[in-house]
Amino acid sequence: EVQLVESGGGLIQPGGSLRLSCAASGFTFSSYTMRWVRQAPGKGLECVAGISGSGGSTYYADSVKGRFSVSRDNSKNTLFLQMNSLRAEDTAIYYCVKAGAGFYMAVWGKGTTVTVSS
Amino acid sequence: EIVMTQSPATLSVSPGERATLSCRASQSVSSNLAWYQQKPGQAPRVLIYDASTRATDVPARFSGSGSGTEFTLTISSLQSEDFAVYYCQQCSNWPLTFGGGTKVEIK
């Protein structure tokens, strides 16, 4: 069974940094593009970052470009999201997502909550 | 950026009735369109990808159609567990973008 388990969320002050992790199991992790999708309270979905299976290609939404960095450790089946210069508008549930063949979101983790507030 | 627009925002339907949800893309995405269902307090789950292919374990009452810029998700006979928010997502170009969602509620 495919499982994605996020961790690292919490309450952080504006301007601070957090590192999210996603532990993957049940599939050949290095073969799949992975993404981070967030959902602000009561709002819709936003894909903020993606990374190819090898880690050689990364993608970012304009809203986080230059502040967030996605990476992966294929030896440990783990995906990361380094978030710097956090703003109130980054407050959201952050989901780790395994990509399907193509660009759709095939499997979602349960999410980890990030709250940016003073 | 491709903008995805869903309508209606809220759809009130009685159990057993048919529900039709619409999604429009600001430019052609060919058949690169997915639909997701999200229930309160849960992560989304994929229902349909490639515009009309049902994901694993998705009941046959869910069907998707369309191509280019106009897409439809149809739920043929609503069950109690189908009341949720539904999102479309274009899978054609980065940044990958979602529609604003349609909430299907009990009439």
Side-chain angles (χ1 to χ4, degrees):
Chain A
E1 180 194 3
V2 174
Q3 281 201 316
L4 301 170
V5 180
E6 303 93 337
S7 60
L11 174 63
I12 186 77
Q13 290 190 339
S17 298
L18 272 180
R19 189 192 200 202
L20 306 184
S21 299
C22 170
S25 61
F27 64 103
T28 304
F29 182 67
S30 60
S31 296
Y32 290 88
T33 292
M34 298 293 294
R35 304 193 182 104
W36 289 99
V37 176
R38 70 182 180 184
Q39 186 170 36
K43 302 296 184 182
L45 302 165
E46 180 187 21
C47 185
V48 296
I51 185 168
S52 62
S54 67
S57 297
T58 56
Y59 309 88
Y60 299 94
D62 286 347
S63 58
V64 306
K65 202 171 292 183
R67 301 187 298 123
F68 288 14
S69 177
V70 60
S71 62
R72 63 194 298 160
D73 184 340
N74 286 344
S75 69
K76 296 182 178 178
N77 292 349
T78 304
L79 176 72
F80 301 101
L81 185 68
Q82 177 67 44
M83 304 186 297
N84 299 327
S85 303
L86 283 161
R87 306 167 179 167
E89 54 265 35
D90 296 319
T91 294
I93 298 172
Y94 284 74
Y95 295 104
C96 170
V97 179
K98 171 182 174 285
F103 288 155
Y104 74 97
M105 315 290 184
V107 181
W108 299 63
K110 294 187 186 304
T112 187
T113 300
V114 173
T115 303
V116 184
S117 175
S118 54
Chain B
E1 173 176 316
I2 299 175
V3 177
M4 307 300 293
T5 303
Q6 291 186 242
S7 61
T10 303
L11 186 61
S12 298
V13 186
S14 299
E17 288 188 339
R18 182 185 191 92
T20 302
L21 289 64
S22 296
C23 175
R24 174 177 292 176
S26 61
Q27 65 189 73
S28 178
V29 298
S30 186
S31 295
N32 300 311
L33 191 285
W35 290 95
Y36 304 88
Q37 177 193 66
Q38 187 177 34
K39 297 179 180 179
Q42 296 184 18
R45 70 154 177 154
V46 63
L47 296 175
I48 301 285
Y49 62 92
D50 293 346
S52 61
T53 302
R54 268 191 307 276
T56 304
D57 295 332
V58 174
R61 63 181 180 273
F62 291 92
S63 63
S65 63
S67 66
T69 62
E70 300 284 343
F71 300 88
T72 300
L73 174 70
T74 301
I75 312 171
S76 59
S77 176
L78 269 155
Q79 306 298 302
S80 57
E81 62 266 30
D82 300 336
F83 293 96
V85 179
Y86 294 83
Y87 294 95
C88 63
Q89 179 229 330
Q90 64 85 11
C91 310
S92 184
N93 294 319
W94 188 267
L96 306 178
T97 47
F98 293 85
T102 292
K103 181 179 181 181
V104 177
E105 64 177 25
I106 301 174
K107 187 174 182 179

